[in-house]
Amino acid sequence: MSPRKNLFLLFLLFLQSFSFAQPAEKKLLKLSYEELHNLYFDNSKDPELQLKYANAYLEKANKENISIRKAKANYHLALIYYKTNVNKAIMYLDSVIKYSQHTKDPFFPAAAYCEKADFLKKKYKFKEAMKNYNLAEKVAFETNIDYYYVVREYIGITKSEDLGDYNEALTIFKECLKYYNNKDVKSSKYSKNYQSILFGLADCYKSLKNTDSTSFYNKLGYKESQTTKNEEYKYLFVLNEGANCILKRNYKAALDSIKLAIPKMIDYNNTGNVLAAYYYQGKAYEGLAQKSEAVKSFIKVDSMYRKTNEITNEFTDGYPYLISYYKALGDKENQLKYITTYMLIDSTLQKNYKELNKIVIKDYDTPHLISEKESLIKSMGNQQTIFIWGLCITLLTALIIAVLGIYQYKLQKKYRLRFEAIISESTEKNENKILSETSKETVTEIDKTIEIGIAAELVHQILEKLNRFEKEKKYLESNLTIQMLSNTFETNSKYVSKIVNLYKGKTFIQYINDLRIDYAISQLKKNSKLRKYTIHALALEFGFNNAESFSTVFNKKTGIKPSYFIKELDAETQS
């Protein structure tokens, strides 16, 4: 879970505004905008009083006919309805955008576009949300380059946490990291943004199960947050490393970190990460075979889900554990409770058809699950309950069939979108190059404060050899190993490994595979004859030993199989 939502709310406290209703008291109109602004936020726990000050702010802005003040007034009206009425909040944000267009304000309408995108995400309208983020991007690029990179980060968070596009999110986070590496990241102006980017990178690598890179950014983030005395971020990195230790199967270390982080997340009212912490605590206990403790943690996850009605697919894995646990105990009531929750949870995770259905089909195929429910209900001996659950099962079966149908449609659509993204990659890169003109300075060292134990001159030499290696396409040689490359470079394999990890942002194997796949894509686009090759022949052509490894790596990088990519290329050529 990202900590950026809390940061965004803090950012709002530095902006001014307010609202419609009855005419404000005359004495309030004599106050300055700043005084009304302060009164509004001083009464954050009293919406009615906030509305009173907001009305005064808006009435004053209307009388003086100042567009940006009208915009800020509507912005704060949106904040009042942040949790209670999303549609009304969006309506006020549209007014913010209307009044702040062409004002050259450093934050508006960009902030309004971002807030609107956040509301749209709550309604699972991700396509519309991304459009609003893109509009915010364009405005911020012209008016406030610092805020432009804040918007870029929001886009990265959405791609990572909501859409599961971890590789795309990594690209955005690295772009932001490059920008902040040229800033004073110890200053109050940039420290939180910088640390949030480090968290985003660590979290993405964790989702991709790249444990080494996850630890690298967690440690760097921990160090930075400790230096700037940002306690919340410090323990976010502790929590994230605890989750990473679970991937490493170091369950005791994971528990130590998670137990340190939980009380801090509670203190900071960071609900999303409290839920995440309980989930990871449950997984750690599961790894240690401490069943009763794992169950306690997963029940806490379920309790938080029932209160907030919010959970991501990553944290649903505790439900099969609870179902199996209570089945073994013969506790039919709890078994039935968690089966029902687990099966219905897809209604709150509209974006996760694929993963949830995989789990349902793998662990609890529909006929078995229905049979288990019927058996449980019958044994409880309640005829009314039997009727209700029979109806639920019928509806549930229909829901599963509908979900699977939608999933197949979305899967095909997703594959097509990924294909189009690969085809238009070169065009998008040119556009991104134009957008990032202001941050063109080349950073030859990721962070000079990071000690990697290799002389700068040797680092430079190895980087030059890597560039030559890429230009000469030596990566197409089959059975290439880091030891072979190090011998060619006349250096130590550990040095090459460290430099590739830091400067290329990936392991040596990932580095070689990415080069091969990028080359394969470019050649398949250019050369129609290659597209007639078998997958096995293509694998050998691009440096892989067999068709399976080529297909696996191609799919991991692009999200589609090479056979699908070739089929779509041929179809486009013929049309």
Side-chain angles (χ1 to χ4, degrees):
M1 298 288 293
S2 169
R4 287 296 288 167
K5 185 176 286 186
N6 291 338
L7 277 183
F8 190 66
L9 291 174
L10 288 174
F11 158 73
L12 300 179
L13 297 175
F14 292 95
L15 306 176
Q16 299 181 345
S17 331
F18 308 114
S19 126
F20 284 110
Q22 300 300 317
E25 296 177 19
K26 290 184 178 180
K27 63 179 181 180
L28 292 180
L29 296 178
K30 294 178 182 179
L31 299 176
S32 68
Y33 289 111
E34 184 178 359
E35 287 171 325
L36 289 168
H37 163 75
N38 291 337
L39 285 167
Y40 176 90
F41 281 108
D42 287 344
N43 291 278
S44 59
K45 293 183 180 180
D46 189 342
E48 289 186 12
L49 198 53
Q50 278 191 309
L51 192 61
K52 177 180 176 181
Y53 295 123
N55 286 332
Y57 194 106
L58 182 61
E59 190 173 340
K60 183 179 177 73
N62 284 333
K63 283 186 176 181
E64 296 177 5
N65 197 27
I66 302 174
S67 293
I68 192 61
R69 295 294 182 184
K70 294 178 186 178
K72 292 179 179 180
N74 279 280
Y75 189 77
H76 281 82
L77 281 169
L79 295 186
I80 291 174
Y81 296 103
Y82 184 84
K83 292 183 178 180
T84 59
N85 192 329
V86 171
N87 290 330
K88 199 167 186 178
I90 290 175
M91 178 189 74
Y92 283 119
L93 288 170
D94 285 334
S95 294
V96 176
I97 293 165
K98 170 187 171 183
Y99 288 119
S100 59
Q101 290 284 7
H102 312 301
T103 61
K104 299 296 181 183
D105 186 88
F107 295 109
F108 292 106
Y113 281 126
C114 286
E115 190 67 53
K116 185 176 177 182
D118 191 48
F119 286 136
L120 289 166
K121 286 198 297 182
K122 290 178 184 297
K123 301 178 74 172
Y124 300 100
K125 294 182 178 180
F126 295 111
K127 187 175 180 180
E128 291 180 46
M130 290 303 295
K131 283 182 181 178
N132 278 271
Y133 279 134
N134 291 334
L135 289 168
E137 235 184 336
K138 290 177 182 177
V139 174
F141 187 75
E142 294 177 357
T143 59
N144 185 344
I145 196 64
D146 282 340
Y147 193 62
Y148 166 77
Y149 282 98
V150 171
V151 178
R152 291 292 290 159
E153 184 189 355
Y154 293 152
I155 294 172
I157 291 170
T158 301
K159 286 182 176 291
S160 172
E161 295 189 357
D162 297 305
L163 303 176
D165 294 335
Y166 303 116
N167 287 311
E168 289 185 40
L170 274 177
T171 300
I172 294 171
F173 289 142
K174 287 177 182 177
E175 173 195 333
C176 295
L177 179 64
K178 183 177 178 181
Y179 178 74
Y180 290 122
N181 275 332
N182 291 315
K183 303 296 178 183
D184 179 9
V185 296
K186 300 291 190 296
S187 69
S188 59
K189 183 176 181 180
Y190 294 108
S191 62
K192 287 182 179 178
N193 292 340
Y194 177 59
Q195 289 161 33
S196 183
I197 289 297
L198 294 178
F199 184 88
L201 284 163
D203 210 40
C204 265
Y205 278 122
K206 174 167 65 68
S207 297
L208 293 168
K209 295 182 172 53
N210 185 334
T211 56
D212 290 342
S213 293
T214 302
S215 290
F216 173 80
Y217 286 108
N218 278 334
K219 288 174 183 176
L220 180 55
Y222 181 88
K223 177 183 173 184
E224 290 295 323
S225 58
Q226 198 168 33
T227 301
T228 58
K229 298 180 180 179
N230 187 335
E231 189 180 58
E232 183 176 9
Y233 268 83
K234 174 181 170 181
Y235 285 98
L236 278 168
F237 286 110
V238 169
L239 173 60
N240 208 38
E241 187 57 26
N244 195 38
C245 284
I246 293 171
L247 295 177
K248 295 178 180 179
R249 300 181 184 277
N250 190 350
Y251 300 116
K252 289 184 178 180
L255 273 179
D256 289 342
S257 295
I258 294 164
K259 286 180 178 180
L260 281 174
I262 287 175
K264 297 297 180 181
M265 295 300 101
I266 292 172
D267 287 347
Y268 285 103
N269 197 28
N270 194 330
T271 308
N273 281 304
V274 172
L275 184 148
Y278 285 135
Y279 170 77
Y280 291 129
Q281 183 174 259
K283 295 300 288 183
Y285 279 125
E286 181 183 351
L288 292 169
Q290 296 183 27
K291 293 184 179 181
S292 61
E293 294 300 320
V295 165
K296 289 177 186 177
S297 296
F298 291 140
I299 287 174
K300 287 180 180 178
V301 172
D302 178 66
S303 176
M304 293 191 70
Y305 162 65
R306 292 175 188 277
K307 287 179 183 176
T308 64
N309 204 33
E310 291 183 5
I311 192 169
T312 62
N313 186 63
E314 180 183 3
F315 305 127
T316 61
D317 195 40
Y319 285 100
Y321 192 90
L322 289 171
I323 293 166
S324 298
Y325 178 82
Y326 285 112
K327 182 177 182 179
L329 289 180
D331 186 339
K332 296 175 182 178
E333 186 174 345
N334 274 317
Q335 185 187 352
L336 190 60
K337 172 183 173 182
Y338 292 116
I339 286 175
T340 305
T341 305
Y342 185 47
M343 291 294 288
L344 293 178
I345 207 165
D346 189 52
S347 64
T348 61
L349 296 175
Q350 297 177 36
K351 60 185 177 298
N352 289 324
Y353 294 106
K354 176 179 178 181
E355 292 302 323
L356 188 58
N357 277 288
K358 270 187 178 178
I359 295 168
V360 170
I361 292 168
K362 179 181 177 183
D363 292 341
Y364 293 93
D365 61 89
T366 304
H368 172 74
L369 192 56
I370 292 172
S371 174
E372 189 171 351
K373 275 193 172 185
E374 288 177 341
S375 175
L376 285 169
I377 295 166
K378 185 177 180 180
S379 68
M380 292 167 78
N382 188 320
Q383 292 301 318
Q384 185 178 5
T385 304
I386 292 175
F387 170 77
I388 292 171
W389 281 113
L391 180 60
C392 287
I393 290 165
T394 302
L395 293 173
L396 188 57
T397 303
L399 175 64
I400 291 172
I401 292 170
V403 166
L404 288 172
I406 293 169
Y407 160 62
Q408 288 298 328
Y409 168 78
K410 287 196 170 188
L411 186 62
Q412 290 301 315
K413 186 176 179 181
K414 181 172 68 173
Y415 283 173
R416 180 63 194 178
L417 288 172
R418 287 178 176 174
F419 170 78
E420 290 173 355
I422 296 169
I423 294 299
S424 62
E425 184 179 12
S426 57
T427 306
E428 290 176 356
K429 282 184 178 178
N430 288 334
E431 291 174 354
N432 289 336
K433 186 177 179 183
I434 294 168
L435 275 176
S436 56
E437 280 297 318
T438 58
S439 58
K440 268 190 173 180
E441 300 175 67
T442 302
V443 181
T444 57
E445 296 179 9
I446 288 181
D447 189 339
K448 292 183 180 179
T449 62
I450 303 170
E451 181 58 49
I452 63 171
I454 306 175
E457 183 178 353
L458 180 55
V459 171
H460 181 70
Q461 290 175 3
I462 293 175
L463 285 173
E464 283 190 337
K465 290 177 181 179
L466 283 172
N467 286 335
R468 199 178 311 121
F469 166 78
E470 292 178 16
K471 287 179 182 177
E472 294 173 359
K473 298 179 177 57
K474 298 290 187 182
Y475 50 81
L476 295 177
E477 296 177 7
S478 62
N479 299 315
L480 180 65
T481 66
I482 193 168
Q483 189 61 53
M484 292 167 61
L485 188 61
S486 301
N487 292 341
T488 305
F489 286 2
E490 298 180 340
T491 188
N492 190 312
S493 63
K494 290 183 179 179
Y495 291 172
V496 175
S497 178
K498 282 187 176 182
I499 289 168
V500 167
N501 188 260
L502 280 174
Y503 288 81
K504 302 298 181 180
K506 56 191 78 174
T507 64
F508 178 79
I509 292 174
Q510 288 175 317
Y511 168 59
I512 296 300
N513 284 341
D514 282 357
L515 289 172
R516 288 171 174 172
I517 297 304
D518 287 341
Y519 180 75
I521 289 169
S522 68
Q523 292 303 302
L524 287 169
K525 286 164 67 176
K526 293 175 187 176
N527 191 342
S528 60
K529 291 182 180 179
L530 273 177
R531 299 201 290 269
K532 293 181 171 59
Y533 284 21
T534 65
I535 298 299
H536 180 73
L538 288 173
L540 299 178
E541 180 77 12
F542 300 127
F544 295 90
N545 290 325
N546 54 63
E548 185 180 359
S549 61
F550 172 56
S551 292
T552 299
V553 174
F554 192 102
N555 185 53
K556 185 176 180 181
K557 181 168 175 61
T558 65
I560 58 177
K561 293 285 186 182
S563 55
Y564 178 89
F565 180 66
I566 291 168
K567 184 183 76 173
E568 291 299 307
L569 275 176
D570 287 335
E572 287 222 332
T573 304
Q574 294 168 8
S575 60

